[in-house]
Amino acid sequence: MTARQRTSPVTKSEKPPTEQKPTIASSEDFHLSPPKLRVIFVISSLLCSLYLYLLCFHYNVDSELKRPILINAGLSLVGFFVTLKLIPVAARYVLRRNMFGFDINKRGTPQGDVKVPESLGIVVGIVFLIVAIIFQFFNFTEDSLWLVEYNAALASICFMILLGFVDDVLDVPWRVKLLLPSFATLPLLMAYAGHTTIVIPKPLVSYLGFEILDLGRIYKLYMALLAVFCTNSINIHAGLNGLEIGQTVVIAAAILIHNVMQIGASVDTELRQAHAFSIYLTQPLMATSLAMLAYNWYPSAVFVGDTYTVFAGMTMAVAGILGHFSETLLIFFLPQVLNFLLSLPQLAGIVKCPRHRLPKFDPATGLLTGTKDGTLVNVYLRIFGRKSEKSLCIHLLVFQALACAFCFLLRHFLAGWYK
Amino acid sequence: MAARKRPSPTSISTKPDTSDQKTTRNTPDNNVFHLSPPKLGSIFVISTLLCSLHLYLLCFHYTVDAELKRSVLINAALSLVGFFVTLKMIPVAARYVLRRNMFGFDINKRGTPQGEVKVPESLGIVVGVVFLIVAIIFQYFNFTEDSNWLVEYNAALASICFMILLGFVDDVLDVPWRVKLVLPSFATLPLLMAYAGHTTIVIPKPLVSYVGLEVLDLGRIYKLYMGLLAVFCTNSINIHAGLNGLEIGQTVVTAAAILIHNVMQIGSSTDPEYHQAHAFSIYLTQPLMATSLALLAFNWYPSSVFVGDTYTVFAGMTMAVVGILGHFSETLLIFFLPQVLNFLLSLPQLAGIVKCPRHRLPRFDPATGLLTGTKDGTLVNVYLRLFGPKSEKSLCIHLLVFQALACAFCFLLRHFLAGWYK
């Protein structure tokens, strides 16, 4: 639930009669603020440098594998620039169609009256799909086994983008929104030809009596639930400029580092293919998201819409499922899990749930104060005191990065003990 | 180019002030919005006409392998479920779509009271989503996990899904027509990549002596041809439009022809690869047929919903996909004869040689209720100029009969050229 005050389609009833809807003239005058490229450069360096270092220098990656990865990185870079160019164009079209919101966290200041174009996630989604489709030509031969999973992944992600965009346009009820990712996951579940076994943690083996448990269909159910969780959890951990994309790129960086580490540390070709597969989807996600972040970073010139959050969630779920590291992915998602648990009482209806569960904004000081709502944003504010929106977002992104780092530590220490 | 007068998003500038208040009125207006009931009687007649031959051939005339027949019938049952789901969902979606101000006015009723009714647009999204769900669920009943067909099936799903997405984005944001031309090429890419079939064509016997070859391997040029076929199919349905029920009508007639062709090929061949290719085509065409018929129940004259570019590009892409993966794309092109004719007639205006207005519809006379052909280069107008003014419903039926005749002509052609051509 993105926390932008969505203008009701019947805007006239809420505004004074003198205010007319935008005419063609004003959308021609519409200029999008320039992208914040320096911020993006800093963020990209922070996120990608460790990954690229590990890929190119630290590990001895088989050149057969390294080449497609670098080709994919090259295509992703092209995707970055294409997205960067297309967002201002799309923003004009979207505004013309009256798909915009007002920034609630700036209400009371002049910026709170600016019409911010919504649902620009559609640009990211389409460029991602085109990059992912074109990449097939460089990597897979026609009778490769991976082609099935790759096309199933594309079908799932594409279906999710479609449902997300339909939701942004038509505003479907939230119960339907919960259900949609399950449909979108079906191609993936069908194509998943991997093992459905889980390895029992060593300490429990003596209790259970076996080392490996074949979950069969329950494993597929778990995969579907994982997709539903990923798509919706990013959606509710939102509401600050740059938070939705920010959490995505931080997790994506962690995914990439994890994949490279697994490739570098293993000799099993199946395992390496699985992790390479995950890289092929995550690099374009990272690149196109960073391009949009250039416009969405504080202060946001565009909003991402549900289109982006469900697309990002689904892509990461797909990468985690087909790369066989879904448990690791869940630990990367620790802040989202926390947020979900905090939100449960309100989502379940036990505690009253308002339309927006945003912190309170004080125009005089420009600081946000935490309310009693059960979200990570609010709880963080209540623990650490009032903050400006930008500073709070950075804090939460650092928290996300720390959670990912914690996951790496956990894996390292439990490696011998757990499996 | 759907010929519905799309309301400009800046509706204030084009309408007088009093009607402004009407269009942006609050929820009470939406609460009293009722969609006309579906024209189930017409749909029953149309379905019977179109599906009976296919079902007869499948179940009685040919002895089809039991395994294959079972899959086809399961697919038919799922498609039937899809029909009812679409039927139920359209009124729901129409409310949401209208709330979002996505509607049009029926130009061919301008001057009559019906010309003032706000008709919900882009209901093709319902058809597209239900089709995808049916197609996805069907995988569970048919394919084993390591089947080769899974690649092509998923590539087909990805292509069709991408096309629906692009079509819906076009309906919402109204992208420029040059972009619209290029979009299907992107959507075809997954298909081209996954296409593992032969890229050879068989040289017609009479030409073998001139060419010197019997079989010509086109390689990448064949893939280019496939891409162009998809672009053609999606756009050609789009421009042969403008009458209530014409877009869906031409689709279901062509789909029926495809199904009959598939069954005939399965029945008269023993090659299992060949069987699979045509069965594959059936698996995608039956859901297309069923969901389209459900939308036609609301879109048939007089239309209570409009289909939008979402539907036309989805239908075109689906048929191109089955033609490509079923290996009968030349046959498909002959089924598309009216669309080809319409495209050729439209060329001067599309190319800009002749002046091209926003809508190239025939002229409607509210007094008589008849349409008269203008000088525009479309099949609709040329037909009217040849055969005189007609009512909209009657003209649509004429054009659909013409479509059916073109398909029948194709069957005849294949029959007579069978020995001579290949």
Side-chain angles (χ1 to χ4, degrees):
Chain A
M1 292 143 243
T2 52
R4 304 302 172 211
Q5 178 190 63
R6 188 190 295 272
T7 56
S8 73
V10 283
T11 35
K12 236 209 189 140
S13 52
E14 296 181 345
K15 292 202 214 136
T18 47
E19 183 170 325
Q20 299 290 320
K21 264 195 275 185
T23 58
I24 294 180
S26 66
S27 47
E28 275 174 4
D29 295 344
F30 169 71
H31 290 303
L32 207 61
S33 309
K36 301 151 194 87
L37 288 172
R38 253 206 320 238
V39 177
I40 295 312
F41 183 71
V42 170
I43 295 178
S44 309
S45 312
L46 285 173
L47 295 176
C48 303
S49 44
L50 179 57
Y51 161 67
L52 290 170
Y53 165 72
L54 288 174
L55 173 69
C56 301
F57 302 111
H58 190 257
Y59 290 110
N60 227 343
V61 181
D62 180 34
S63 63
E64 267 291 307
L65 204 53
K66 202 194 287 195
R67 206 172 58 99
I69 293 179
L70 290 175
I71 290 176
N72 185 279
L75 281 174
S76 304
L77 193 64
V78 173
F80 172 85
F81 287 109
V82 171
T83 312
L84 211 60
K85 279 238 89 177
L86 283 183
I87 285 177
V89 177
R92 251 199 314 277
Y93 278 89
V94 150
L95 216 54
R96 200 175 63 174
R97 238 358 208 160
N98 278 344
M99 287 168 65
F100 61 84
F102 294 104
D103 199 334
I104 296 185
N105 284 337
K106 299 181 182 48
R107 203 169 9 187
T109 71
Q111 197 138 25
D113 296 325
V114 173
K115 289 202 206 80
V116 185
E118 267 274 20
S119 311
L120 268 299
I122 187 63
V123 181
V124 177
I126 291 179
V127 176
F128 172 90
L129 284 173
I130 294 178
V131 167
I133 291 170
I134 291 180
F135 174 67
Q136 282 186 86
F137 283 94
F138 294 98
N139 191 51
F140 298 112
T141 54
E142 272 174 17
D143 48 16
S144 161
L145 285 172
W146 286 98
L147 216 54
V148 185
E149 297 200 4
Y150 198 75
N151 276 294
L154 284 185
S156 288
I157 295 172
C158 184
F159 198 17
M160 200 67 230
I161 297 174
L162 174 65
L163 296 175
F165 189 62
V166 170
D167 174 33
D168 266 344
V169 174
L170 301 183
D171 206 6
V172 304
W174 70 266
R175 283 185 189 81
V176 178
K177 253 209 284 242
L178 266 186
L179 215 52
L180 295 180
S182 338
F183 286 115
T185 331
L186 289 176
L188 198 62
L189 298 183
M190 189 60 215
Y192 182 75
H195 55 88
T196 52
T197 57
I198 56 170
V199 176
I200 305 290
K202 284 203 192 119
L204 297 175
V205 171
S206 39
Y207 294 102
L208 286 172
F210 41 81
E211 276 188 1
I212 295 183
L213 176 64
D214 188 350
L215 290 176
R217 290 187 170 209
I218 299 184
Y219 194 80
K220 293 209 166 182
L221 181 66
Y222 156 72
M223 278 162 46
L225 291 175
L226 180 71
V228 176
F229 174 75
C230 288
T231 51
N232 284 297
S233 65
I234 295 184
N235 214 351
I236 62 175
H237 183 44
L240 306 176
N241 289 173
L243 182 58
E244 302 92 345
I245 312 186
Q247 63 190 286
T248 302
V249 293
V250 169
I251 299 175
I255 290 176
L256 289 174
I257 292 173
H258 175 69
N259 285 324
V260 163
M261 284 173 63
Q262 292 303 301
I263 290 179
S266 147
V267 290
D268 178 7
T269 37
E270 277 289 311
L271 188 73
R272 295 164 94 172
Q273 272 288 21
H275 284 281
F277 191 95
S278 161
I279 291 181
Y280 299 149
L281 292 178
T282 312
Q283 281 183 155
L285 170 68
M286 176 84 121
T288 49
S289 301
L290 284 170
M292 179 136 84
L293 189 59
Y295 290 96
N296 183 250
W297 186 251
Y298 184 93
S300 291
V302 300
F303 289 152
V304 302
D306 283 352
T307 313
Y308 177 79
T309 59
V310 298
F311 152 69
M314 178 58 96
T315 305
M316 291 194 281
V318 166
I321 288 170
L322 293 180
H324 304 310
F325 60 92
S326 53
E327 311 87 22
T328 310
L329 185 70
L330 270 176
I331 308 181
F332 288 156
F333 266 65
L334 203 57
Q336 283 75 13
V337 172
L338 254 156
N339 186 54
F340 169 67
L341 294 173
L342 288 170
S343 304
L344 261 183
Q346 285 182 302
L347 293 177
I350 303 171
V351 177
K352 179 171 158 348
C353 185
R355 170 113 173 94
H356 291 300
R357 300 185 294 151
L358 288 177
K360 211 172 60 190
F361 176 66
D362 182 3
T365 55
L367 296 179
L368 292 168
T369 318
T371 65
K372 283 207 171 60
D373 288 310
T375 62
L376 192 54
V377 171
N378 280 309
V379 168
Y380 197 93
L381 280 173
R382 279 171 30 221
I383 297 180
F384 297 103
R386 303 178 307 165
K387 295 202 178 331
S388 74
E389 186 179 357
K390 181 174 184 180
S391 148
L392 176 61
C393 186
I394 295 178
H395 274 244
L396 288 171
L397 294 184
V398 169
F399 180 58
Q400 187 87 49
L402 287 177
C404 296
F406 168 72
C407 175
F408 284 114
L409 274 177
L410 207 66
R411 284 184 60 93
H412 178 74
F413 284 119
L414 295 182
W417 175 75
Y418 184 78
K419 298 196 178 198
Chain B
M1 292 145 245
R4 305 302 173 210
K5 182 166 92 163
R6 189 191 295 273
S8 75
T10 61
S11 29
I12 288 186
S13 49
T14 53
K15 288 197 223 142
D17 277 323
T18 45
S19 57
D20 262 345
Q21 297 294 325
K22 226 185 340 158
T23 55
T24 56
R25 202 186 304 163
N26 222 318
T27 32
D29 203 19
N30 290 331
N31 282 341
V32 305
F33 169 71
H34 288 305
L35 206 61
S36 308
K39 301 150 195 86
L40 289 172
S42 308
I43 295 312
F44 183 72
V45 170
I46 295 176
S47 309
T48 316
L49 283 173
L50 295 176
C51 302
S52 44
L53 183 56
H54 158 64
L55 290 169
Y56 165 73
L57 289 174
L58 173 70
C59 301
F60 301 111
H61 190 256
Y62 293 108
T63 40
V64 181
D65 178 37
E67 265 290 310
L68 199 57
K69 200 194 286 195
R70 203 173 61 98
S71 297
V72 172
L73 290 176
I74 289 176
N75 185 280
L78 279 175
S79 305
L80 193 63
V81 173
F83 172 84
F84 288 109
V85 171
T86 312
L87 210 60
K88 280 238 88 181
M89 293 291 300
I90 285 175
V92 177
R95 252 199 313 277
Y96 279 88
V97 149
L98 217 54
R99 201 176 62 176
R100 237 357 207 161
N101 277 346
M102 287 169 62
F103 60 85
F105 294 102
D106 200 335
I107 296 185
N108 285 335
K109 298 181 180 53
R110 201 165 17 179
T112 71
Q114 197 139 23
E116 311 284 314
V117 174
K118 277 189 270 172
V119 185
E121 266 273 23
S122 312
L123 268 299
I125 187 64
V126 182
V127 176
V129 172
V130 176
F131 172 89
L132 285 173
I133 294 178
V134 169
I136 291 172
I137 290 179
F138 173 69
Q139 283 187 85
Y140 281 93
F141 292 98
N142 190 51
F143 298 114
T144 54
E145 272 174 18
D146 49 14
S147 164
N148 276 333
W149 285 99
L150 219 53
V151 185
E152 297 200 2
Y153 198 76
N154 276 293
L157 284 184
S159 287
I160 296 172
C161 184
F162 198 18
M163 199 69 230
I164 298 175
L165 174 67
L166 294 174
F168 189 64
V169 170
D170 174 33
D171 267 342
V172 174
L173 301 183
D174 206 7
V175 305
W177 71 266
R178 284 186 188 83
V179 178
K180 255 207 282 241
L181 266 186
V182 180
L183 293 181
S185 336
F186 286 114
T188 332
L189 288 176
L191 197 63
L192 297 183
M193 189 61 216
Y195 181 75
H198 54 87
T199 53
T200 57
I201 57 171
V202 176
I203 305 289
K205 284 203 192 115
L207 297 175
V208 171
S209 39
Y210 295 101
V211 178
L213 298 163
E214 272 189 4
V215 169
L216 177 62
D217 188 350
L218 291 176
R220 287 182 172 214
I221 298 183
Y222 195 80
K223 295 211 165 180
L224 180 67
Y225 155 71
M226 280 163 45
L228 291 174
L229 181 70
V231 176
F232 175 73
C233 288
T234 51
N235 284 298
S236 64
I237 296 183
N238 215 351
I239 62 175
H240 183 42
L243 306 176
N244 288 174
L246 183 59
E247 301 93 345
I248 311 186
Q250 62 188 286
T251 302
V252 293
V253 170
T254 314
I258 290 176
L259 288 173
I260 293 171
H261 175 68
N262 289 143
V263 168
M264 282 173 66
Q265 294 302 305
I266 291 179
S268 59
S269 149
T270 48
D271 179 6
E273 275 287 310
Y274 202 62
H275 277 200
Q276 275 288 20
H278 283 279
F280 190 96
S281 161
I282 293 181
Y283 299 148
L284 290 179
T285 311
Q286 283 182 153
L288 170 66
M289 177 84 119
T291 50
S292 300
L293 285 169
L295 185 58
L296 189 58
F298 291 96
N299 183 249
W300 186 247
Y301 183 93
S303 292
S304 44
V305 301
F306 289 152
V307 303
D309 283 352
T310 312
Y311 177 80
T312 58
V313 298
F314 152 70
M317 179 56 97
T318 304
M319 291 195 281
V321 164
V322 301
I324 289 170
L325 293 181
H327 306 308
F328 60 92
S329 53
E330 311 87 23
T331 309
L332 185 72
L333 270 176
I334 307 180
F335 288 156
F336 268 64
L337 204 55
Q339 283 77 10
V340 172
L341 255 156
N342 185 55
F343 169 68
L344 293 173
L345 287 170
S346 303
L347 261 183
Q349 285 182 302
L350 293 178
I353 303 172
V354 177
K355 179 171 159 346
C356 185
R358 169 113 174 94
H359 290 299
R360 299 186 295 151
L361 288 177
R363 214 183 45 214
F364 176 67
D365 182 3
T368 55
L370 297 179
L371 292 168
T372 318
T374 65
K375 282 209 172 59
D376 287 310
T378 61
L379 192 55
V380 171
N381 281 309
V382 168
Y383 198 94
L384 281 173
R385 279 174 26 221
L386 281 175
F387 297 104
K390 296 196 177 336
S391 74
E392 187 178 355
K393 181 174 184 177
S394 146
L395 175 61
C396 186
I397 295 178
H398 274 243
L399 289 170
L400 293 184
V401 168
F402 180 57
Q403 186 88 44
L405 287 176
C407 296
F409 168 71
C410 176
F411 283 114
L412 274 176
L413 206 67
R414 284 185 60 91
H415 178 75
F416 285 118
L417 294 182
W420 176 76
Y421 183 79
K422 299 198 177 197

